[in-house]
Amino acid sequence: MENEEILDDIGALVEEERALRQRVGGLLPEERARLSELEVRLDQCWDLLRQRRAKAEFGEDPDTATLRPATEVESYRN
C-alpha cells in the first residue's frame, strides 16, 4: 500500500468518524461500536504511515512496513 492510498483511507475513515460524531440525539449501540472500530483503524493507518515514512527516511524499503495489530497500536497510548 502506498502512502497516498493510506492517506486516502485515513480521509475516508475521518469522514465517517465525523459523520457519526455529529449525529444529533446520540448514537445507537452499533454506531458506537463502529466509532470504536474507526478509532482503532485510524490509529493503525497512522502507525503504518509513520513506519513507511521512517523506513524511507533511513533508506529502507517502505513496502516492508506492516499493519500492526490493534492490541499493539492501542497499547501505545498507555
Side-chain angles (χ1 to χ4, degrees):
M1 190 176 245
E2 296 293 322
N3 291 359
E4 305 312 319
E5 292 173 288
I6 297 168
L7 288 168
D8 288 345
D9 284 351
I10 288 170
L13 293 167
V14 166
E15 263 186 52
E16 186 178 352
E17 179 187 36
R18 281 188 186 143
L20 285 171
R21 289 189 187 279
Q22 292 175 351
R23 291 225 8 186
V24 176
L27 298 175
L28 299 171
E30 58 270 13
E31 291 169 325
R32 281 193 296 277
R34 178 61 182 154
L35 185 57
S36 292
E37 291 171 9
L38 289 170
E39 291 168 347
V40 170
R41 181 70 179 138
L42 277 166
D43 289 344
Q44 287 178 303
C45 287
W46 281 117
D47 176 70
L48 180 59
L49 187 60
R50 283 189 294 272
Q51 284 182 65
R52 290 182 55 80
R53 288 175 173 170
K55 285 180 177 284
E57 181 179 344
F58 291 97
E60 296 178 32
D61 181 2
D63 291 334
T64 62
T66 58
L67 189 66
R68 294 181 182 156
T71 53
E72 184 176 346
V73 173
E74 292 303 293
S75 69
Y76 296 157
R77 292 182 179 175
N78 299 330

